Amino acid sequence: MSLVAIKNISKSYWRDSLEIPVLRNISFDIPEGEFLALMGPSGSGKTTLLNLIAGIDRPTTGSIVIGGTDIGGLGETALAQWRSRIMGFIFQFYNLLPVLTAFENVELPLLLTKLSSKERRDHVEFALKIVGLEERMRHYPKQLSGGQEQRVAIARAIVTDPTILVADEPTGDLDKVSAEEIMKLLDRLNSEFKKTIIMVTHDPRAAERAHLVRHLDKGELS
Amino acid sequence: MKIPISYIWRSLWTRRLTTVLTLVGIALVVFVFAAILMMAHGIETTMRDTGYEDNVILIRRSASSELLSQVGREGASIVKTFPEVSTDPNGKAIATTEVLVVITLFKKESNNLGNVSVRGISPEAFALRPAVKLAGGRMFQFGSHEVIVGSSIIQRFKGCEIGKQISFSGDQWTIVGVIEAEGSAFESEIWGDVEQLMPSVGRPVFSTMTFRLKDKNMFDALKQRVQQDPRTQYMEPKRERDFYEEQSHAMSTFIMILGTVVTVIFSIGAIIGAVITMYGAVSNRTVEIGTLRSLGFRRRSVLAAFLIESIILSVVGGALGILMASVMSFVRISTVNFGTFSELAFGFTLSPGIALSTIIFSVAMGVIGGFLPAVRAARMNIVTALRSS
């Protein structure tokens, strides 16, 4: 069954009066539980497509329906709430808040829920346990290695139990060993926890973990 | 506001140097602001405490100060017989007829001449002003050329110690005692016998008469009686406390206006400092803002977070400023009393109202300084913010 339905979307940016098309008339579906890798050269529009699916950017034309919700029809506040429930974000440079501990970083998305402090603590500890960092919850990001930081970021992405994880070059800033660990973890989240994963990557080894690979070139699916 | 306060607090701590510099800037402005309010309040308190609630001062109608007032012997005697005036067990009115003149003495600090008020009093003056107490030496003898001096006079002017003689209007006056008056303006005066002073300074009439009301609610009736009697209607009774408070208005208003101008100029500098600090904070945390927004935090949460950060800076800076200003409570300075053109010693007085005004002032600086950067943070496009990594 299709979880994400992308229909005829295009995206252009404007520089003064000059239109710069980034995505052109893209349509495809992503089934629930899929592990999709989006590949393509720099500037092909991979991250832009990921941002549109994640609901942090809007297409110029076309529609994106996720879990039955046309996200183009959501206002800004509703879209923010929708993101906090449905999407888990994994960034290339982890994007942890440096002044917060691993525990506090993971807890952040839960502050948008109505969970009690005790329930939040349980959720955070569970998420950190899944990524194998329950012993490091009091550490600040600068006290962790790159691989550990990305695992904390993954814990933050899964702590609200979202339907979809969007990962933008999750291994792009890591050494080979750490990258392999992260990919194993994403693989586990997909197979064991049934998370739908949409990942942008340049790394063919990372793409090998995906069940489906789509290539973008000059804003078009190839 | 969903963004945790620990994030705001630790972000401030992380950039300690700019945080401390901004705090110091705000604290200094708040210090100036609070000190000016304390100074104006100190003058008002000093003057107000000089008067008593149930005392009435009789001055010549439309005289704006004691120096310009003239009260004749006859008029004073008539008012003493009014039923509203309190009397002692012997039926004698509790009233002091006084004369106030200004003399010059050399200041200890600068060796320059300074004006000093000399007040001729009647024996009842002490009964009317119980706060005035002998702090050293003895009381002067009525009918003699003896005087007692206020404690501020002895500290600030040369040759005013007990046993010394001062000379004015061609006469020598021996200092025999020192008075204290709970910080009121009487501590900046010299007191002697009114009947000795008047011929000496060539004043045929009193300056004022002060007396106690039988009941403080009788003031209106007394005022009516004074105004209706053709022999006394050239005079005007005023509640003593109101009179002295009025006397401080000109000076405290002058200080407030001057101080407000200075503070506004300083505060513009502090606000610009806060704006620069907060713009810097927003620029340095663009990716963090993008991350928070993508996680689902709303624009208003981001706006609130940065605004609160600025307000924390201003409140801590404000508290620091008040703390610095509170040290000024131990300082006593003197200025010219616009009512008598003589020296008036006063302290900086910190009141809860001043502390509250100061905190409101510093929070206002924080809100004004933090608003534009916070709006910028809140309006940031998520994708653009994330790209800046």
Side-chain angles (χ1 to χ4, degrees):
Chain A
M1 184 189 143
S2 160
L3 174 66
V4 181
I6 299 167
K7 285 199 181 84
N8 306 321
I9 61 163
S10 298
K11 177 73 181 176
S12 295
Y13 290 111
W14 292 85
R15 192 164 293 158
D16 298 325
S17 57
L18 186 69
E19 183 182 5
I20 303 164
V22 182
L23 295 173
R24 300 163 198 267
N25 202 30
I26 288 178
S27 298
F28 71 104
D29 289 355
I30 304 168
E32 191 166 3
E34 184 60 276
F35 189 164
L36 167 72
L38 288 170
M39 295 192 77
S42 294
S44 60
K46 312 179 294 292
T47 298
T48 302
L49 181 57
L50 192 74
N51 289 342
L52 294 176
I53 296 169
I56 58 173
D57 203 358
R58 292 180 188 271
T60 309
T61 59
S63 73
I64 300 172
V65 178
I66 297 177
T69 305
D70 182 354
I71 61 172
L74 298 177
E76 193 168 310
T77 304
L79 191 60
Q81 284 171 346
W82 174 85
R83 274 200 307 273
S84 67
R85 281 187 294 107
I86 305 296
M87 287 290 159
F89 288 85
I90 302 163
F91 303 95
Q92 180 178 357
F93 298 108
Y94 335 124
N95 291 17
L96 298 177
L97 304 194
V99 297
L100 301 184
T101 62
F103 181 95
E104 290 164 335
N105 265 289
V106 177
E107 192 187 22
L108 268 179
L110 295 177
L111 298 175
L112 297 165
T113 67
K114 288 179 177 170
L115 294 178
S116 68
S117 171
K118 164 84 173 66
E119 288 168 325
R120 288 205 303 269
R121 167 168 286 278
D122 292 344
H123 280 66
V124 172
E125 286 176 356
F126 182 64
L128 282 168
K129 195 173 175 187
I130 290 172
V131 301
L133 282 178
E134 67 269 38
E135 304 298 324
R136 300 289 186 108
M137 63 171 75
R138 305 254 169 258
H139 287 62
Y140 286 91
K142 67 180 176 194
Q143 296 168 319
L144 301 170
S145 68
Q148 287 170 331
E149 279 195 75
Q150 191 59 299
R151 280 195 275 159
V152 173
I154 291 172
R156 181 179 66 187
I158 61 173
V159 74
T160 54
D161 193 23
T163 314
I164 302 171
L165 295 180
V166 287
D168 190 0
E169 302 275 13
T171 59
D173 194 45
L174 298 175
D175 60 61
K176 209 181 279 184
V177 177
S178 301
E180 185 57 26
E181 281 173 5
I182 293 300
M183 289 317 300
K184 273 185 191 165
L185 185 55
L186 289 179
D187 204 7
R188 186 178 159 218
L189 291 172
N190 175 249
S191 58
E192 193 178 323
F193 295 92
K194 308 297 177 203
K195 297 295 168 199
T196 302
I197 298 176
I198 307 167
M199 173 179 72
V200 163
T201 186
H202 273 110
D203 182 359
R205 263 193 299 262
E208 278 173 19
R209 293 272 181 180
H211 305 157
L212 179 66
V213 179
R214 302 297 303 258
H215 288 271
L216 272 164
D217 192 18
K218 293 176 183 167
E220 291 177 350
L221 278 176
S222 58
Chain B
M1 225 280 293
K2 306 268 188 175
I3 295 172
I5 205 85
S6 56
Y7 170 68
I8 297 164
W9 186 247
R10 285 182 214 161
S11 295
L12 283 168
W13 180 246
T14 302
R15 44 175 225 276
R16 311 187 252 296
L17 183 63
T18 49
T19 298
V20 168
L21 289 176
T22 312
L23 279 181
V24 170
I26 292 170
L28 286 174
V29 174
V30 167
F31 166 73
V32 172
F33 180 75
I36 286 162
L37 291 182
M38 286 166 70
M39 189 190 283
H41 187 57
I43 290 169
E44 277 177 356
T45 309
T46 300
M47 292 299 280
R48 190 190 60 222
D49 290 351
T50 302
Y52 289 85
E53 190 77 38
D54 50 357
N55 282 359
V56 170
I57 185 166
L58 200 63
I59 55 168
R60 193 184 69 190
R61 186 180 293 255
S62 78
S64 56
S65 71
E66 287 181 272
L67 273 183
L68 300 174
S69 174
Q70 290 185 341
V71 171
R73 281 184 188 274
E74 188 199 1
S77 300
I78 292 164
V79 173
K80 278 182 187 174
T81 64
F82 285 173
E84 292 83 6
V85 178
S86 185
T87 53
D88 66 14
N90 300 322
K92 192 179 175 198
I94 304 175
T96 169
T97 42
E98 300 185 344
V99 68
L100 190 78
V101 292
V102 175
I103 63 163
T104 52
L105 292 173
F106 283 98
K107 290 183 190 174
K108 277 185 178 171
E109 268 183 16
S110 61
N111 210 28
N112 290 331
L113 282 169
N115 286 348
V116 174
S117 295
V118 178
R119 185 182 294 275
I121 59 165
S122 305
E124 289 77 13
F126 284 90
L128 286 162
R129 293 151 186 159
V132 181
K133 291 193 170 69
L134 207 58
R138 61 172 175 82
M139 176 59 186
F140 65 82
Q141 285 185 338
F142 283 89
S144 74
H145 267 41
E146 291 179 346
V147 291
I148 49 177
V149 297
S151 52
S152 290
I153 297 292
I154 209 166
Q155 285 163 16
R156 314 177 90 80
F157 289 91
K158 286 182 175 175
C160 292
E161 292 78 17
I162 295 172
K164 293 274 177 69
Q165 286 199 321
I166 53 173
S167 127
F168 57 88
S169 305
D171 283 340
Q172 294 287 319
W173 303 80
T174 307
I175 298 167
V176 296
V178 179
I179 48 169
E180 283 181 350
E182 296 176 359
S184 74
F186 294 133
E187 288 185 1
S188 300
E189 292 182 351
I190 296 175
W191 283 12
D193 181 354
V194 66
E195 298 298 348
Q196 295 298 311
L197 266 169
M198 280 171 67
S200 176
V201 297
R203 292 281 293 265
V205 290
F206 303 118
S207 300
T208 60
M209 181 172 83
T210 302
F211 53 91
R212 184 170 298 158
L213 285 173
K214 272 187 182 148
D215 183 327
K216 62 182 176 185
N217 297 322
M218 288 179 164
F219 178 76
D220 290 338
L222 172 93
K223 193 171 181 179
Q224 204 173 4
R225 198 182 300 280
V226 170
Q227 284 170 349
Q228 281 173 353
D229 191 322
R231 298 166 300 171
T232 59
Q233 61 189 190
Y234 72 95
M235 296 183 288
E236 182 183 9
K238 285 188 174 179
R239 286 189 191 276
E240 195 183 27
R241 183 167 282 241
D242 295 346
F243 173 75
Y244 284 114
E245 209 172 346
E246 279 171 23
Q247 295 293 295
S248 70
H249 271 337
M251 190 159 39
S252 61
T253 307
F254 172 73
I255 288 170
M256 285 291 281
I257 291 171
L258 184 70
T260 305
V261 170
V262 171
T263 309
V264 164
I265 292 168
F266 281 12
S267 66
I268 290 169
I271 288 169
I272 290 170
V275 170
I276 292 168
T277 303
M278 291 311 297
Y279 267 127
V282 171
S283 300
N284 291 336
R285 280 186 276 158
T286 303
V287 179
E288 294 174 29
I289 294 164
T291 306
L292 287 167
R293 293 285 317 284
S294 61
L295 293 179
F297 287 93
R298 289 153 70 174
R299 285 183 195 275
R300 68 177 182 207
S301 294
V302 173
L303 181 103
F306 278 89
L307 210 50
I308 288 171
E309 193 166 315
S310 178
I311 290 170
I312 287 175
L313 270 176
S314 64
V315 167
V316 176
L320 210 62
I322 292 177
L323 202 68
M324 285 156 64
S326 67
V327 176
M328 296 298 288
S329 300
F330 301 104
V331 176
R332 267 182 88 75
I333 59 171
S334 71
T335 185
V336 174
N337 180 349
F338 285 8
T340 58
F341 302 105
S342 54
E343 291 271 321
L344 173 71
F346 64 94
F348 288 75
T349 313
L350 183 60
S351 68
I354 290 175
L356 184 68
S357 311
T358 308
I359 284 292
I360 290 171
F361 171 71
S362 60
V363 168
M365 279 201 294
V367 170
I368 296 168
F371 186 71
L372 286 179
V375 167
R376 183 184 170 191
R379 293 182 65 169
M380 227 171 244
N381 177 280
I382 301 176
V383 175
T384 313
L386 289 172
R387 261 194 211 136
S388 66
S389 63

